[in-house]
Each structure stands twice: as C-alpha cells, then as structure tokens.
Amino acid sequence: MASLLERTYNPDVLTCLANLSNDEVFTPPELANRVLDMLPKELWEDPNVRILDPCCKSGVFLREAAKRFIGGLAPIYPDRQERVDHIMHEQLFGIAITEMTSLMSRRSLYCSKYANGRFSVSLFDHEEGNVRFRGIRHTWKDGKCVYCGASKKEYRRSADLESHAYEFIHTKRPEDIFKMKFDVIVGNPPYQLNDGGNKASASPLYQLFVRQAKKLAPRYLVMIIPARWYTGGKGLDSFRQEMLSDNHITRLVDFPDSKDCFPGVDIAGGVCYFLRERDRNVGLCAVETISENQTIEAARDLDEYPVFIRDSRALSIVHKVQKLHEATMDTQVSSRKPFGLATNVKPEKSGDITLRFIGGEGPFSRSHVTAGFDMIDKWKVVASYVSFDHAGRANKDGKRKVLSVMRILPPGTICTETYLVYGSYDTEEEALNLQRYLSCKLPRYLIAQMSTGQHLTKSTFALCPIPDVDVEWSDKTLYECYGLNASERDAVESSIIEIPMEDSSND
C-alpha cells in the first residue's frame, strides 16, 4: 500500500485561484515559468539583478523568480537565509493592483501577508516589504480619468470601495515609485475598464502598462496581454504601430484561442506574451503560434504590414495576392451606419422605401435617411457587422466561417447599422457575383487575417481584393488567378468552412 506521503496531494494554491474577471486574470504558475524561461539563464546567477512586477495579482512571477534566484545565487551566498534575505530585500519588487492582491502577493513571496510578521521568510521593518499597494484615486476631466480613461460615472466611488486606479499607470513619473532602475519588468496587467460608452463599452488598459514599463528602460520587458492590438481594438492604432515598428521585440508567443493559454478563460481575439530586449536591435522576431497541441514557429518582420498577420502560413498567400496590385474591399465596404441609422431605429407606419433591421423589414421614409444616398436605389450585398465566429475563434474542427449570412437588398431597401454594405450595384447579377465571391474560401481567409475579434469593420477587408463582378468566381478560379500552390490551397481549405450559396439567404 502506498505510504501516506505518496497518497497525499498538495496542490499549488496558485493553480486553484478563481479569476477576478476576464479583465483581471490570474497567471497560472506553469505559464509564469514559461514566460520567465524567455529570460537569459545567467540572470538568475546575478545578485545585482532587480525585477519588478508592476501589476501583482497573486505574486506568482515574483515567487517563481525567487525560486530561480535561490538556486542560482547559492555559490555567492552559501548561507540560505542570507541568500533569501538578499533576494527579498534587494532583487524582487512588486506593485499590487488591489489591497487584496497585495496580501496574496506577499503571502506567495514571503509566506506571510505581512512582511514583518513572524512567519515571513525574510523579515522587514514594515508590513509591505517590497510589495506595495497605494489607494490611488482617478484624476477626472470631462467625465473620464486623464490617466486611464475610466468613466467618472462608473468609478467615482467612496474611499472604502476599490477604484481600479492602478498606481503604475496613474503617474507621469513611474520611476519615482521605487526610485531605482530595474533590469526586468514582468507582468500580466489588467486588460480593460468601463469607459462609460454604450453597451458596457470598455477601453483597453494593458497598453498603458507596456508604455509605462518602457519609460523605465529595463533590459528585459515581458508581459502577457490580449492580442486584439494585432489588427484592431479600441484606441490601439498608435500602440499597434509602436509594437510592430519596435525592433527590440525579439520574441512573440501567440495564442489565437485564449483558453490554450488560460484554461477556461475566454478573451476575444486571444492573448500573447512578448520579450523586449533593450540592448538588442533585430530585424526579425521569433514568432510562436500555439493552437491546441500545434505550434508553428517563424522568423517574422513585424513591420511588414500595418497590422500583424498572426497566421505565418498566410504570408505567402498574401504576397501572391498583392502582387496583382488590385484595389481592396476596405475601399468599398461601408462604414458603420451605412445609411446613418442606428441599430435601434425601427420601421415607421408608412414610407416610400423599406428598412431592413434586426427584427425584419418595414416601411421607412426616404427623407429620414442621412447617409448612403447613392446606394438606396441599387442592389446591395449586406451582412451583420458581427463576425459569425465567436470572438474570432475557429470551431472544434479548426475552421472559421468569418462572415455572417449575406443578404441581397433590392433597390429601395436600406438597413440599420446592424449591417455592413459590402457593395452596391446597378444589376442583381453583379450583386449575386459579389455574394458568390465572398462565399468562396480564399476571400474569407484573407478577411480572417484581419479579424481578431467579434466585430467586422471596413478595415477588416483590407487584404481582400475587389472582384470583377461580371465573373462568377469559384475557389478553383481564384487559386489559379493568384497562383496558389498545393500547400497554400491546403492552408485555406483547412481553415475556412465551405458556404453553399443556398446558405447565403436573400430573404
């Protein structure tokens, strides 16, 4: 019979934590170690290295770093307690995102929620040790925080409630927090906050943590962040440009499905983590894409396109398509509210045209249309601005549909902002040919490269050529047109669901 010791299972408590939300996600120890593995091994043998986690939740990064230092510094500090004291006092620092996570982080690092408590593995003369928390308040202007964009209506709270005003990003001088230089900054920052917009609108936060960290000029910067910045994301255009043009980013690990990184956590567009090395300037970044049990590695020029095409297999296809220098669908697809009508606009009692809305169709007055006048009396191909795929993810077979059901609206029929207009034409046959073209796999494969989230915009179509609508396109003719080889055709066929024309309803 197995001994009691062999039968007893003592799980790591940090593997058992429930996430605060999908915006504040705890990092499992296994993931934290994969992130730390990107750092040079010789760091753990250097007693002068200082590490900062500016967004501590569980303290897992600091705890796992401490383990590595304890092993690496043994030759320099043979006495274990002296070694531990040096590491805890001189090498590891954290800024917690809440008072609760400050206690959790100290418990993980010092084995005591109070660094000056009798159970602390290294005694400090104050309870915080080097893991601090300050109850920062937002600075309001015009209803929003000037630092993070949080909504005053949502986050102006009494002092006894959590404000979510994170210290690291609520200052113009992050270097004044600890008044020291750091060799490594590592963390998994909060992802977004409500900004007071419609339908629980939220603005991203993680890019603010990355930018603040770069201000401190660490030798190594490693962070886990959502991947929405690749192609879209609210207010992320300048951040995307900064990241893609940064030749100091040497590694990027990408998870198109966030659950492959954080089990059970659904984050639209997936997540990634990256390594930025201050003292290295590289032309190509080592990109690793992990999907279920498959890993694809490639050396990539991040700045090759205005967006990051996450599927490395798609690059050769995009190159071949772009060789023909054709105009692209983003110049043709409508913006939101193609006819100036919000989603909540409904049909009227009478009218001289027809309105297509989320609940069906009904009469509407032409005089109430405020945009898209040139499209009213044409044949239009429309579809919902919401992608068919949940959060831009593939189905259980690894395939995506990308576009929702397409409909053809006849002359005199318009739609609300529930729909995008993909094209408008003088004849029904031209509209049908655009519908046939977008039902092909290759166009949707190209659109998918620009889609990391739930919503489609005109910019999502920037890689997809405008077709000749006098032609009835098929995938076979498209593959031949662009000269795709067998491997490239397989990449498309294995990624995109077939849409029979009968599935593209005209009802």
Side-chain angles (χ1 to χ4, degrees):
M1 189 172 71
S3 68
L4 179 62
L5 182 61
E6 291 171 328
R7 287 187 285 110
T8 300
Y9 171 56
N10 293 312
D12 183 342
V13 68
L14 298 190
T15 67
C16 306
L17 297 175
N19 289 309
L20 302 176
S21 69
N22 277 12
D23 303 329
E24 295 179 351
V25 180
F26 287 116
T27 309
E30 181 184 0
L31 175 59
N33 277 298
R34 294 205 304 267
V35 170
L36 293 175
D37 283 344
M38 294 200 295
L39 297 170
K41 292 181 179 179
E42 57 267 24
L43 281 181
W44 312 114
E45 301 169 356
D46 187 343
N48 298 311
V49 165
R50 286 175 174 159
I51 296 179
L52 170 68
D53 180 350
C55 39
C56 286
K57 301 188 194 82
S58 67
V60 65
F61 287 111
L62 299 179
R63 188 191 74 174
E64 298 306 310
K67 292 179 182 178
R68 296 176 183 226
F69 278 130
I70 288 171
L73 296 181
I76 300 174
Y77 298 100
D79 181 83
R80 184 179 180 86
Q81 187 58 54
E82 182 185 5
R83 193 187 328 150
V84 169
D85 287 339
H86 175 84
I87 293 167
M88 300 301 177
H89 285 254
E90 305 296 335
Q91 295 193 268
L92 299 175
F93 300 82
I95 304 171
I97 63 171
T98 66
E99 184 174 11
M100 180 189 74
T101 60
S102 72
L103 299 175
M104 291 174 59
S105 296
R106 290 186 208 112
R107 179 66 179 80
S108 297
L109 184 60
Y110 306 135
C111 299
S112 170
K113 61 184 179 180
Y114 302 117
N116 60 352
R118 66 190 182 96
F119 297 111
S120 178
V121 297
S122 182
L123 288 177
F124 287 76
D125 57 10
H126 51 91
E127 65 181 26
E128 282 190 332
N130 286 335
V131 180
R132 62 184 275 155
F133 170 73
R134 299 291 183 273
I136 305 296
R137 312 310 295 177
H138 293 284
T139 302
W140 306 115
K141 183 178 181 181
D142 299 326
K144 292 188 177 182
C145 176
V146 298
Y147 290 104
C148 70
S151 165
K152 183 176 182 179
K153 180 179 179 181
E154 182 77 15
Y155 293 103
R156 188 180 184 182
R157 303 170 174 177
S158 62
D160 58 331
L161 294 178
E162 175 55 49
S163 69
H164 297 281
Y166 306 113
E167 181 181 13
F168 189 62
I169 61 171
H170 282 74
T171 175
K172 293 181 179 179
R173 293 181 56 83
E175 63 272 22
D176 288 345
I177 295 177
F178 279 107
K179 299 186 185 300
M180 64 177 65
K181 298 280 188 181
F182 292 97
D183 300 279
V184 178
I185 295 181
V186 59
N188 175 18
Y191 297 155
Q192 63 184 28
L193 276 183
N194 191 312
D195 60 13
N198 294 328
K199 297 182 180 179
S201 172
S203 291
L205 285 178
Y206 56 90
Q207 79 280 9
L208 304 180
F209 282 85
V210 175
R211 285 170 169 162
Q212 286 288 75
K214 287 167 70 173
K215 285 183 183 179
L216 296 181
R219 288 162 56 197
Y220 303 98
L221 169 60
V222 193
M223 282 198 175
I224 307 172
I225 59 177
R228 287 289 301 277
W229 64 269
Y230 291 173
T231 61
K234 188 174 184 179
L236 291 173
D237 289 346
S238 61
F239 179 68
R240 175 167 54 257
Q241 185 178 11
E242 292 168 20
M243 292 291 284
L244 296 181
S245 62
D246 190 343
N247 289 331
H248 298 281
I249 296 178
T250 57
R251 286 194 64 188
L252 176 67
V253 181
D254 177 36
F255 298 85
D257 186 340
S258 62
K259 287 183 282 191
D260 289 326
C261 182
F262 297 109
V265 179
D266 186 4
I267 299 171
V271 296
C272 66
Y273 56 85
F274 66 90
L275 169 65
R276 184 181 192 273
E277 300 184 59
R278 183 193 66 196
D279 301 330
R280 286 188 67 197
N281 193 319
V282 297
L284 298 178
C285 174
V287 177
E288 186 177 343
T289 303
I290 300 175
S291 182
E292 294 183 341
N293 296 321
Q294 183 182 21
T295 299
I296 298 174
E297 298 180 358
R300 298 276 303 274
D301 175 5
L302 298 183
D303 206 20
E304 184 174 8
Y305 294 102
V307 299
F308 179 66
I309 298 175
R310 74 191 321 166
D311 187 347
S312 297
R313 301 173 303 170
L315 290 177
S316 64
I317 298 172
V318 173
H319 291 160
K320 288 183 176 180
V321 170
Q322 293 192 333
K323 276 185 179 179
L324 298 188
H325 302 289
E326 297 168 299
T328 48
M329 289 283 294
D330 60 315
T331 62
Q332 174 177 296
V333 174
S334 70
S335 301
R336 286 184 62 185
K337 298 184 183 178
F339 297 96
L341 305 175
T343 298
N344 59 2
V345 173
K346 300 293 190 297
E348 300 168 341
K349 291 183 178 180
S350 62
D352 51 345
I353 60 175
T354 300
L355 174 67
R356 178 87 194 188
F357 71 113
I358 196 168
E361 291 185 351
F364 199 76
S365 173
R366 184 184 293 257
S367 63
H368 294 161
V369 176
T370 62
F373 306 107
D374 59 325
M375 298 190 293
I376 296 176
D377 295 313
K378 292 189 175 184
W379 293 89
K380 298 164 285 289
V381 180
V382 306
S384 171
Y385 75 91
V386 178
S387 168
F388 179 86
D389 312 300
H390 174 64
R393 288 205 309 270
N395 65 11
K396 60 182 177 62
D397 298 320
K399 294 184 177 183
R400 294 182 59 184
K401 188 175 180 181
V402 186
L403 303 180
S404 293
V405 174
M406 287 179 279
R407 294 179 170 84
I408 293 180
L409 303 186
T413 299
I414 62 170
C415 58
T416 66
E417 72 169 324
T418 298
Y419 302 92
L420 291 176
V421 177
Y422 292 163
S424 59
Y425 301 96
D426 293 328
T427 68
E428 182 180 13
E429 186 62 25
E430 290 175 307
L432 280 168
N433 281 338
L434 178 66
Q435 185 182 33
R436 292 186 182 106
Y437 169 76
L438 291 174
S439 296
C440 294
K441 293 181 180 179
L442 180 59
R444 288 182 288 124
Y445 181 79
L446 294 169
I447 294 166
Q449 307 314 310
M450 298 287 292
S451 170
T452 57
Q454 191 74 10
H455 296 160
L456 302 175
T457 66
K458 62 185 292 135
S459 64
T460 313
F461 294 76
L463 296 178
C464 182
I466 296 175
D468 180 348
V469 290
D470 291 328
V471 175
E472 286 192 26
W473 293 98
S474 68
D475 275 309
K476 183 176 184 296
T477 56
L478 286 168
Y479 293 156
E480 292 172 350
C481 175
Y482 296 111
L484 268 58
N485 61 36
S487 175
E488 292 163 338
R489 295 183 188 199
D490 181 66
V492 176
E493 295 288 333
S494 64
S495 302
I496 303 298
I497 298 170
E498 184 172 353
I499 303 180
M501 275 298 290
E502 56 266 25
D503 285 356
S504 295
S505 170
N506 296 334
D507 294 338

